[in-house]
């Protein structure tokens, strides 16, 4: 899963760099980069399974509700007042997708994976209907950035590939073949935001084939999956590096932008992580200071669009976003701690008994 997230991070750099695509090679790399969300949504589908095995259902809902709010910082980075222009960015889409997938897995088990075509088909039907409610149109159905329908399809596709690997591989090959037939027929255009059949089929093929290839590699070097383990921090950091590159007026040549962005993002991530470990992380060990920290951070994100000058909104949002990305595992532990009535976050020595929850629900796996 971390290897797939690392690949997703690489594709994000291609997609967000806005480089000059004056040849077929760079053009198609940027095109492939638009499929980065497919990898992340597919991985989140598998994450939903892991979390159901190790966390109580209320903990999952609570954490992703907070994740939804904290992810609004990315909208602020773009200088958008989300109170006036509600947007379902990728963080909101992932939060909705994980909760919906976890609910379906909880109710249907392995059979939930077979539902992967339905969200896409519902979105296609919705395009022919008139949907005017902002919440419905932006967060549940298109038009929108990452509405639950159709993007839930890729989370459920991740579930399907996880439980039915051989069948998933064959279906991925079938999806690739079907897309190639569309290309031959002159109908191979892929549309991401108003997701069409071409994008959907190619997304199924890409994730299914990559998942099958990654699953047969029993050992992956740690340096290769470092980015995947820190994909949330990478997301905020690479966006800032690319913004600074464009602001400085540097040439948008792929052979300059892509290596420089990867190197700059990696260095910045290491620096931020070191500073965070010295200043912030030690203060999030116990529930009370941790709860105060997260309360202040969420309040800052929610009130920044109305309390901060527009010119300063992106920078305040970057600060909040970095704190969120660096410490969201501590938030997960805090929610788990409150659910189990602990006196300190999991991973520390001082805590109460786990008897507050049934034994099966207390077998925690706090890995990302």
């Amino acid at each position: 899963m971390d290897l797939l997230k690392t690949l997703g991070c690489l594709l994000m750099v291609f997609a967000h760099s806005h480089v000059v695509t004056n040849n077929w090679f760079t053009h198609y790399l940027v095109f492939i980069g638009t499929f980065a969300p497919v990898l992340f949504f597919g991985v989140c589908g598998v994450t939903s399974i892991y979390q159901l095995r190790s966390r109580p259902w209320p903990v999952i809902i609570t954490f992703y509700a907070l994740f939804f709010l904290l992810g609004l910082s990315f909208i602020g980075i773009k200088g958008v007042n989300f109170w006036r222009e509600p947007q379902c960015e990728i963080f909101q889409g992932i939060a909705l997708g994980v909760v919906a997938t976890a609910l379906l897995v909880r109710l249907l088990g392995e059979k939930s994976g077979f539902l992967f075509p339905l969200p896409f088909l519902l979105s296609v039907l919705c395009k022919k209907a008139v949907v005017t409610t902002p919440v419905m149109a932006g967060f549940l159905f298109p038009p929108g950035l990452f509405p639950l329908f159709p993007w839930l399809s890729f989370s459920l596709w991740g579930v399907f590939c996880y439980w039915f690997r051989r069948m998933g591989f064959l279906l991925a090959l079938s999806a690739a073949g079907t897309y190639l037939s569309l290309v031959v027929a002159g109908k191979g255009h892929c549309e991401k935001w108003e997701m069409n059949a071409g994008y959907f089929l190619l997304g199924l093929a890409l994730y299914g084939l990559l998942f099958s290839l990654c699953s047969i590699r029993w050992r992956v070097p740690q340096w290769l999956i470092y980015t995947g383990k820190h994909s949330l921090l990478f997301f905020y950091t690479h966006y800032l590096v690319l913004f600074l590159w464009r602001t400085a007026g540097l040439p948008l040549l792929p052979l300059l932008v892509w290596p420089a962005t990867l190197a700059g993002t990696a260095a910045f991530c290491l620096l931020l992580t070191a500073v965070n470990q010295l200043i912030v992380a030690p203060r999030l060990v116990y529930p009370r200071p941790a709860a105060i920290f997260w309360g202040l951070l969420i309040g800052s994100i929610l009130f920044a669009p109305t309390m901060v000058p527009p010119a300063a909104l992106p920078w305040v949002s970057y600060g909040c976003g970095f704190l969120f990305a660096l410490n969201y595992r501590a938030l997960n532990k805090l929610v788990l701690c409150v659910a189990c009535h602990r006196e300190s976050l999991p991973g520390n020595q001082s805590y109460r008994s786990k008897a507050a929850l049934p034994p099966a629900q207390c077998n925690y796996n706090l890995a990302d």
Side-chain angles (χ1 to χ4, degrees), residues 21 34 47 95 99 129 132 148 172 288 312 325 342 350:
T21 55
T34 63
T47 301
V99 172
T132 57
L148 185 63
R288 182 168 295 177
R342 290 180 176 224
S350 175

Side-chain angles (χ1 to χ4, degrees), residues 4-5 7-8 11 35-44 206-207 210:
L4 285 175
K5 288 195 293 182
L7 294 174
L11 295 186
F35 290 87
V38 172
L39 299 184
F40 288 113
F41 276 93
V43 168
C44 285
L206 180 66
Y207 179 86
L210 285 176

Side-chain angles (χ1 to χ4, degrees), residues 44-54 101-102 105 158-159 162-163:
C44 285
V46 181
T47 301
S48 303
I49 300 173
Y50 293 161
Q51 294 194 67
L52 278 172
R53 292 173 178 173
S54 59
T101 303
V105 171
V159 171
Y162 176 78
W163 267 320

Side-chain angles (χ1 to χ4, degrees), residues 306-318:
T306 56
M307 303 294 291
V308 174
L313 176 60
W315 300 109
V316 172
S317 298
Y318 267 120

Side-chain angles (χ1 to χ4, degrees), residues 220-233:
V220 180
Q222 288 297 311
W223 64 267
L224 191 58
I225 61 175
Y226 172 84
T227 302
K229 287 181 175 293
H230 301 84
S231 56
L232 189 58
L233 179 59

Side-chain angles (χ1 to χ4, degrees), residues 112-171:
S112 59
F114 288 95
L115 300 177
F116 74 86
L118 290 184
F120 171 72
L121 295 176
L122 285 173
S123 70
V124 172
L125 293 174
C126 182
K127 291 177 184 178
K128 299 181 179 180
V130 178
V131 181
T132 57
T133 305
V135 173
M136 293 292 288
F139 289 83
L140 297 182
F141 296 100
L145 297 175
F146 292 96
L148 185 63
F149 304 98
W151 288 96
L152 178 60
S153 281
F154 292 116
S155 295
L156 294 175
W157 176 237
V159 171
F160 184 90
C161 291
Y162 176 78
W163 267 320
F164 306 99
R165 300 190 180 189
R166 182 173 299 178
M167 192 183 304
F169 178 73
L170 294 176
L171 286 178

